[in-house]
Amino acid sequence: MPFDRAVFFLRENPIPTGGTHATADETGGAVGIFEGVIPPGHSIHWHTHTREAECFHVIAGRFRFWCGDDVAEGGPGTTVVAPAYRRHRWQNISEQEGRLLMWVTPGGFEALFAEIDALSQPTPQAIYEIETRYGILSEILDLR
């Protein structure tokens, strides 16, 4: 995909640990970049992106990644790419808080987190409905 819509983007003031670093609106749709502070043992449910590739870079902690039938583990400096239409999940397998820098291309998916954070009751059903609007084939309801 050519980046004909991409724009030069610079955020001068660092944001606190965690949160969104750049949005699709800020980058002409090219990319969304966000950071997660992940508690020990926390994992995300299986899901598949239909609109974007999702990339992960471990800043702190140790993580296990599942992507299709592949499984990998890594600590700081590890980068994993989950292509669109590839079922995946991850888990912080360390005993301390972990940090992941994540990005999607094209951008847009990063707005999902603001919607989930705004929920007064973030139930699996409510999260499923938000994920579905963002083109995510979610398996969160399979966890009940």
Side-chain angles (χ1 to χ4, degrees):
M1 174 176 128
F3 288 97
D4 57 340
R5 296 181 300 147
V7 296
F8 178 75
F9 173 75
L10 171 68
R11 177 170 279 142
E12 294 185 61
N13 299 317
I15 63 168
T17 301
T20 301
H21 290 276
T23 67
D25 287 342
E26 296 168 324
T27 64
V31 67
I33 305 170
F34 43 97
E35 184 179 333
V37 178
I38 316 299
H42 181 78
S43 64
I44 190 74
H45 55 277
W46 284 102
H47 63 285
T48 305
H49 294 255
T50 63
R51 300 176 184 166
E52 60 276 315
E54 186 174 28
C55 308
F56 308 89
H57 181 78
V58 179
I59 298 170
R62 186 158 185 85
F63 287 81
R64 181 172 297 130
F65 298 91
W66 293 264
C67 189
D69 293 330
D70 298 320
V71 180
E73 289 183 11
T78 300
T79 300
V80 174
V81 177
Y85 293 99
R86 192 82 173 275
R87 182 179 183 252
H88 63 279
R89 66 183 291 260
W90 51 260
Q91 180 178 21
N92 178 358
I93 59 172
S94 57
E95 295 182 12
Q96 70 266 7
E97 188 174 81
R99 286 176 53 210
L100 284 176
L101 180 66
M102 299 167 273
W103 62 98
V104 290
T105 183
F109 166 77
E110 70 282 355
L112 167 141
F113 299 111
E115 287 195 40
I116 290 174
D117 287 346
L119 292 173
S120 58
Q121 294 291 323
T123 65
Q125 182 65 42
I127 293 169
Y128 175 84
E129 290 169 9
I130 292 170
E131 289 178 327
T132 299
R133 282 198 309 275
Y134 283 87
I136 304 299
L137 304 177
S138 175
E139 298 181 34
I140 193 169
L141 297 180
D142 298 343
L143 302 176
R144 295 188 286 178

